[in-house]
Amino acid sequence: ADGASTSPIGSMLWIAWVLLGAEAWVVPTQGPLSRRRRSSSPVLLRSSPPTSEEEATKAADSKKATPPEAKEAPSDSAPDSPEKKPIRRRRRARAASAMSSALVAARNEPDVITFEAVDVFVKRPVPVGLHLRDTLLRFTGLMLPRPDIFEKAYLEAYAEREAEFPRFGAGMDLDDWWRPVVKKTYEAALSPDFYDESELALVEKRFDMAFQEAQEILMSDEAWEVVGRSGRVLNALRDWKSRRQGTLVVGVASTSCDDRIEDMLREVIGNDYCDDTFDFIIGDSEEADVFDLVVQTCDEDLGKTVDPGKTKWTHVIPDDVP
């Protein structure tokens, strides 16, 4: 969508930033280098230059007689140790570089972050075709084909409807958009070669009741469940928003669900999570594009101006979340 970055790499960096926090970018100043065992050996001081040729000769002989392993190395604690200063400089340089990276990342955090909720926060545990089959079974009692036959028929009917009227009809009554999808699913799954006229007439008679119940089930917690990682992501988002003190806008902008998505999310993940995390939840079934609605909502409801060409805006899809 225009103005919203959907780069998997960029989005994953922001999610990693949210989940790990700024402290993960900073190299600790206390590490193995600063915990080196200090030598208990005394510091060897150089003696004064010999005052005579004889003393110089004795000193040279004594130095040669001392085996290399017997010599004691200068202690780390010596103020003039030649090794200590480079180690400290390297450690300070690494810490400064890491802190610089963290500050750059903080300056480049997005001002708006939107999520595709499906397969990020919630997912369908079983195929839609299975729910449609079970609903028809309850209302007709007929022997029905396997669930995979219903699922295949549903996917074909959905794709055909989406091609004809994209974005759930873009303002069309949702029942009017979904009704042909369910009807064609049943018609494709129930071949006249296997069902007589009376059985097909029963399906037609009970269709409206089955359709209404299927619509309710498909947007309830009976047909959706929480993605395992979503609690971690939601908690991190709340902490991130708190740290930003009102300067970060977080919302759902789903292109996979119609505008009933808010009721579904509240039922599946809970009102508290939705209220504390999201500034808005928008589905893709209105006349305006879902991302245009984000801009409009930020302006009218949140009092924040969002310019898709200038605002730092990240849109997160399922592949972006680790």
Side-chain angles (χ1 to χ4, degrees):
D2 293 340
S5 169
T6 56
S7 166
I9 295 176
S11 298
M12 288 183 72
L13 287 175
W14 291 124
I15 295 300
W17 175 264
V18 175
L19 297 180
L20 298 178
E23 63 273 9
W25 294 71
V26 182
V27 176
T29 57
Q30 294 295 325
L33 289 176
S34 64
R35 292 196 295 271
R36 294 172 57 203
R37 179 177 296 175
R38 298 187 181 276
S39 172
S40 59
S41 304
V43 178
L44 297 180
L45 301 178
R46 294 182 181 178
S47 59
S48 303
T51 56
S52 68
E53 183 178 350
E54 181 180 353
E55 290 176 352
T57 303
K58 288 182 179 180
D61 292 341
S62 176
K63 184 175 182 180
K64 292 179 181 178
T66 304
E69 61 272 19
K71 297 179 182 180
E72 294 180 289
S75 169
D76 286 348
S77 60
D80 296 326
S81 172
E83 297 181 1
K84 190 70 173 183
K85 291 180 180 179
I87 290 174
R88 285 179 176 174
R89 285 197 295 268
R90 288 196 297 270
R91 188 169 66 235
R92 285 197 297 266
R94 284 203 309 272
S97 176
M99 179 62 74
S100 177
S101 297
L103 292 174
V104 169
R107 286 197 298 269
N108 289 315
E109 285 188 23
D111 297 316
V112 177
I113 180 168
T114 52
F115 288 84
E116 168 55 68
V118 177
D119 293 329
V120 173
F121 301 120
V122 294
K123 65 180 181 179
R124 291 191 184 275
V126 298
V128 173
L130 178 60
H131 289 292
L132 295 179
R133 179 185 185 276
D134 289 348
T135 302
L136 185 63
L137 178 62
R138 284 194 295 272
F139 281 94
T140 64
L142 296 174
M143 293 285 292
L144 298 175
R146 301 188 314 270
D148 62 296
I149 294 177
F150 276 84
E151 178 66 6
K152 181 176 182 293
Y154 164 74
L155 293 175
E156 291 176 353
Y158 180 92
E160 181 181 337
R161 190 64 168 168
E162 177 68 16
E164 184 179 7
F165 297 101
R167 296 180 23 239
F168 305 100
M172 179 186 296
D173 181 82
L174 289 175
D175 279 357
D176 291 342
W177 194 91
W178 281 103
R179 188 182 299 274
V181 175
V182 177
K183 192 171 186 63
K184 288 184 179 180
T185 299
Y186 289 158
E187 289 174 351
L190 305 177
S191 171
D193 296 336
F194 298 99
Y195 295 91
D196 59 32
E197 292 183 2
S198 63
E199 290 172 325
L200 295 176
L202 177 62
V203 172
E204 183 68 25
K205 181 179 179 180
R206 303 286 174 82
F207 174 76
D208 285 342
M209 292 184 291
F211 170 72
Q212 290 299 331
E213 181 167 309
Q215 283 290 85
E216 294 175 5
I217 291 173
L218 290 174
M219 294 305 291
S220 71
D221 58 0
E222 189 173 339
W224 297 87
E225 68 179 12
V226 175
V227 174
R229 66 190 171 214
S230 63
R232 174 168 55 93
V233 175
L234 289 167
N235 286 329
L237 283 170
R238 291 194 294 185
D239 292 342
W240 193 10
K241 287 186 67 177
S242 176
R243 188 171 71 248
R244 289 285 297 269
Q245 298 181 347
T247 62
L248 175 65
V249 174
V250 178
V252 168
S254 177
T255 58
S256 301
C257 278
D258 56 46
D259 60 10
R260 296 174 297 173
I261 187 174
E262 179 170 358
D263 292 337
M264 180 270 287
L265 286 178
R266 290 184 175 278
E267 184 172 349
V268 177
I269 68 177
N271 285 323
D272 290 342
Y273 271 116
C274 289
D275 291 337
D276 293 344
T277 307
F278 304 124
D279 295 298
F280 52 80
I281 300 174
I282 300 173
D284 195 23
S285 56
E286 300 297 330
E287 292 184 13
D289 177 82
V290 65
F291 296 105
D292 291 336
L293 290 175
V294 170
V295 175
Q296 180 180 334
T297 300
C298 288
D299 182 34
E300 296 179 358
D301 298 345
L302 304 179
K304 297 181 181 294
T305 300
V306 175
D307 184 341
K310 298 179 180 179
T311 302
K312 289 181 287 187
W313 178 356
T314 298
H315 182 65
V316 181
I317 58 177
D319 290 342
D320 297 336
V321 182

